[in-house]
């Protein structure tokens, strides 16, 4: 990795954090709703989500930056897949919190996981560190899947 290119780095981080901000604005009140939901074992308090997501969006932005400045021929395709996963990511909270579509949001989360896994693979082929920066995101999505599935099952049987 060469010298840091600050403008592309900041833009990349802002795009990523902006996705989270947009999702948060579209789902205002979601943490209040979270407090009313069934909490399976290991469910964190509501304040954990914005902290974790801020960290994850920051890592995504750094990863995308590393791919962007790599000069690799596959950069454009990798960043298109990255953009697709950002879009899918931004829509999940709408499905879950605004539409109460727990089944569909779980399926959507599986799609998101697949897109992030594909993004991580594409990023890794261009820049191994960029791919590794997405590992915490993948782990968090597994945990989010556990929570989403728990809410789905609880609502089906109660």
């Amino acid at each position: 990795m060469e010298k840091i290119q600050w403008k592309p780095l900041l833009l990349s981080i802002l795009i990523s954090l902006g996705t989270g901000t947009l999702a948060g604005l579209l789902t205002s009140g979601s943490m209040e709703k979270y407090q009313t939901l069934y909490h399976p074992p290991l469910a964190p308090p509501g304040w954990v989500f914005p902290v974790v997501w801020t960290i994850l969006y920051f890592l995504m932005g750094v990863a995308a930056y590393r791919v962007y400045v790599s000069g690799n021929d596959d950069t454009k395709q990798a960043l298109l897949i990255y953009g697709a996963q950002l879009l899918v990511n931004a829509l999940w909270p709408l499905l879950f919190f605004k539409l109460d579509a727990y089944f569909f949001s779980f399926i959507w989360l599986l799609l998101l996981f697949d897109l992030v896994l594909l993004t991580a693979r594409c990023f890794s082929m261009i820049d191994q560190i960029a791919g590794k920066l997405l590992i915490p995101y993948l782990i968090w999505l597994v945990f989010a899947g556990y929570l989403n599935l728990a809410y789905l099952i609880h609502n089906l049987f109660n």
Side-chain angles (χ1 to χ4, degrees):
M1 191 88 187
E2 294 185 21
K3 183 180 172 190
I4 295 173
Q5 297 178 33
W6 288 104
K7 285 183 183 180
L9 175 60
L10 292 175
L11 181 60
S12 183
I13 291 170
L14 286 174
I15 288 169
S16 185
L17 287 171
T19 300
T21 301
L22 178 63
L25 291 172
L26 293 174
T27 59
S28 63
S30 60
M31 285 301 96
E32 290 81 8
K33 181 171 184 174
Y34 172 76
Q35 298 305 327
T36 68
L37 295 173
Y38 163 73
H39 283 52
L42 306 177
W47 65 265
V48 169
F49 292 96
V51 172
V52 169
W53 276 111
T54 300
I55 294 166
L56 294 175
Y57 284 123
F58 178 81
L59 293 174
M60 284 184 243
V62 172
Y65 160 77
R66 291 182 64 91
V67 169
Y68 176 76
V69 298
S70 70
N72 188 290
D73 291 341
D74 296 326
T75 294
K76 184 177 180 179
Q77 180 164 346
L79 291 176
L80 283 173
I81 295 166
Y82 170 74
Q85 72 80 26
L86 280 177
L87 177 63
V88 170
N89 176 311
L91 293 175
W92 180 88
L94 288 171
L95 298 170
F96 188 88
F97 288 109
K98 292 297 183 184
L99 300 178
D100 298 326
Y102 300 128
F103 176 75
F104 190 66
S105 62
F106 180 73
I107 300 302
W108 197 258
L109 199 56
L110 295 176
L111 170 64
L112 177 57
F113 183 85
D114 284 346
L115 282 171
V116 175
L117 188 59
L118 180 59
T119 302
R121 286 180 183 157
C122 291
F123 278 19
S124 289
M125 289 191 290
I126 295 169
D127 180 287
Q128 286 189 357
I129 293 172
K132 289 177 182 176
L133 286 170
L134 298 182
I135 292 172
Y137 184 17
L138 289 164
I139 293 167
W140 184 254
L141 289 176
V142 170
F143 183 64
Y146 156 74
L147 294 173
N148 193 152
L149 186 59
Y151 303 136
L152 170 62
I153 291 170
H154 180 77
N155 281 351
L156 287 176
F157 296 106
N158 292 308

